[in-house]
């Protein structure tokens, strides 16, 4: 009998191991670091946030609902891209996304039970708060080529604040909200383009007018500076001319006292200028001022004396 027992011990050990695995699977559950759970005991929920191996009673005493507690990104379901109206009664197509995570598994489970149910309700809140936020701003604050006029960030912050206030009590934490799409319907596109063209033309006309005004100012300044410069130059020329005339009058007075000396000096000066360099001339000595080079010239002899 004893030998038969030891003969079947491997089978018994294997059976015990299988039983232990089955009991562990039935009476325990495991959570990873990215998971949380809600354990219901006869329908009464309790939240479990710690990762690792946990004990539980088998169904129907207890039931485990696991949730991923990492951040989820949801861009809406029905109506995620739909028309909405701005404060100045323009229609636009707008879509948003919401990043959220489960902050209180128990409150989340009691409110929605499953993530699809939660996101269905979240989609409804997103549509309402999106339409409300966009309806508080003008069309030019949402669609504009000038980044300074855009209020997209303010709209996103408004939607995020409203969603956080609404979802906080249901165990959801809103991490971020952003605009995925901002577009205009076909019926509005032509009006938008016409308005943008008119705006560009207005800016171009203003720049042209400013340029023409600046050019006119520069031309006037240049003409004024030219007139002043010419007047100053003319005055300086008259001053120099008067000084020259005064000096010339003094010379003429001297020359009038001795006309023959004046004629001689002028011929001599003219001769110096003509023969300043190495020059070869074949001229008649009867031509003034070369009469000074004629042999036997009394003026030249007088000069030598």
């Amino acid at each position: 009998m004893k030998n038969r027992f030891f003969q079947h011990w491997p089978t018994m050990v294997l059976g015990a191991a299988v039983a232990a695995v089955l009991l562990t699977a039935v009476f325990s559950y495991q959570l990873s670091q990215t998971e949380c759970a809600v354990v219901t005991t006869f329908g009464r929920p309790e939240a479990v946030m710690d990762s690792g191996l946990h004990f539980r009673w088998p169904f129907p005493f207890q039931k485990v609902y696991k949730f991923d507690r990492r951040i989820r990104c949801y861009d809406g379901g029905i109506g995620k891209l739909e028309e909405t109206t701005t404060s100045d009664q323009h229609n636009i197509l707008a879509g948003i996304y919401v990043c959220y995570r489960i902050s209180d598994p128990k409150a989340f489970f009691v409110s929605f039970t499953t993530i699809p149910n939660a996101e269905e309700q979240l989609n409804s809140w997103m549509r309402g708060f999106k339409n409300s936020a966009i309806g508080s701003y003008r069309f030019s604050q949402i669609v504009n080529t000038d980044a300074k006029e855009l209020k997209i960030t303010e709209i996103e912050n408004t939607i995020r604040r409203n969603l956080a206030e609404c979802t906080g009590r249901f165990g959801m934490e809103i991490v971020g909200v952003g605009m995925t799409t901002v577009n205009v319907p076909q019926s509005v596109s032509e009006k938008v383009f016409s308005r943008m063209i008119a705006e560009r033309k207005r800016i171009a006309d203003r720049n042209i007018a400013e340029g023409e005004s600046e050019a006119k100012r520069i031309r006037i300044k240049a003409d004024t500076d030219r007139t002043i410069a010419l007047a100053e130059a003319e005055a300086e020329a008259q001053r120099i001319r008067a000084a020259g005339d005064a000096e010339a009058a003094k010379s003429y007075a001297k020359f009038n006292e001795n006309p023959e000396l004046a004629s001689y000096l002028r011929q001599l000066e003219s001769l110096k200028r003509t023969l300043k360099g190495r020059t070869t001339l074949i001229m008649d000595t009867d031509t003034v001022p070369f009469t000074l080079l004629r042999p036997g010239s009394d003026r030249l002899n007088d000069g030598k004396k």
Side-chain angles (χ1 to χ4, degrees):
M1 188 72 176
K2 185 176 181 181
N3 291 335
R4 289 180 180 180
F5 175 80
F6 285 107
Q7 184 178 358
H8 298 287
W9 74 267
T11 303
M12 298 176 65
V13 170
L14 179 60
V18 172
V21 170
L22 291 176
L23 289 174
T24 301
V26 171
F27 287 94
S28 67
Y29 65 94
Q30 187 173 5
L31 295 179
S32 67
Q33 293 182 348
T34 61
E35 291 181 319
C36 59
V38 172
V39 180
T40 59
T41 304
F42 298 110
R44 183 172 57 85
E46 293 292 338
V48 178
M49 301 292 291
D50 297 332
S51 60
L53 190 65
H54 300 273
F55 173 79
R56 68 161 182 179
W57 291 105
F59 183 81
F61 302 102
Q62 288 184 328
K63 190 174 182 181
V64 179
Y65 298 87
K66 295 182 180 180
F67 300 102
D68 192 334
R69 60 183 181 183
R70 291 175 295 184
I71 296 175
R72 297 176 61 86
C73 187
Y74 179 64
D75 62 354
I78 299 176
K80 65 180 181 180
L81 182 61
E82 59 184 355
E83 287 192 21
T84 185
T85 305
T86 61
S87 62
D88 50 357
Q89 302 304 310
H90 288 284
N91 291 338
I92 64 171
L93 292 171
I96 65 172
Y97 69 89
V98 174
C99 296
Y100 75 94
R101 60 186 168 198
I102 300 173
S103 58
D104 187 346
K106 181 178 178 180
F108 182 85
F109 176 80
V110 171
S111 301
F112 308 114
T113 306
T114 63
I115 288 179
N117 292 340
E119 291 185 344
E120 182 179 356
Q121 180 60 53
L122 180 61
N123 178 70
S124 177
W125 288 330
M126 289 167 60
R127 294 176 64 188
F129 292 134
K130 175 189 67 179
N131 294 338
S132 175
I134 292 176
S136 301
Y137 291 85
R138 299 187 307 275
F139 181 83
S140 60
Q141 294 176 313
I142 302 173
V143 179
N144 203 313
T145 56
D146 187 357
K148 296 180 180 179
E149 295 292 329
L150 294 177
K151 302 296 182 182
I152 299 296
T153 302
E154 292 184 11
I155 294 174
E156 293 172 347
N157 291 336
T158 299
I159 298 174
R160 176 182 177 179
R161 183 171 59 254
N162 292 334
L163 281 174
E165 293 176 356
C166 184
T167 60
R169 62 180 181 274
F170 298 109
M172 298 172 64
E173 178 187 356
I174 303 299
V175 178
V177 173
M179 302 284 288
T180 58
T181 304
V182 176
N183 208 337
V184 292
Q186 184 65 32
S187 58
V188 183
S189 297
E190 295 181 359
K191 294 181 181 179
V192 173
F193 293 146
S194 298
R195 187 182 64 82
M196 293 176 67
I197 291 172
E199 179 68 16
R200 295 295 98 184
K201 186 177 183 303
R202 184 183 66 81
I203 295 175
D205 292 342
R206 183 188 64 191
N207 292 338
I208 291 172
E210 291 177 354
E212 291 178 349
S213 176
E214 182 67 14
K216 184 176 180 181
R217 186 189 66 80
I218 293 173
R219 283 195 295 268
I220 292 174
K221 185 177 183 301
D223 291 341
T224 303
D225 293 343
R226 173 178 172 274
T227 302
I228 294 174
L230 289 175
E232 291 177 350
E234 182 65 23
E236 181 66 16
Q238 291 180 359
R239 186 188 65 79
I240 295 173
R241 191 179 298 113
D245 291 343
E247 291 295 327
K250 293 178 181 179
S251 299
Y252 290 152
K254 294 292 184 181
F255 289 158
N256 288 333
E257 295 177 359
N258 192 346
E260 186 178 353
L261 176 61
S263 176
Y264 174 76
L265 291 176
R266 285 189 178 184
Q267 293 182 39
L268 184 60
E269 180 66 23
S270 178
L271 186 61
K272 288 180 179 179
R273 290 182 180 180
T274 303
L275 302 178
K276 185 176 182 180
R278 298 181 61 184
T279 307
T280 301
L281 293 173
I282 301 175
M283 299 292 291
D284 187 357
T285 55
D286 293 332
T287 303
V288 179
F290 299 102
T291 55
L292 298 179
L293 301 177
R294 187 169 53 196
S297 172
D298 293 336
R299 292 179 180 174
L300 182 60
N301 294 331
D302 293 341
K304 289 181 178 179
K305 290 179 182 179

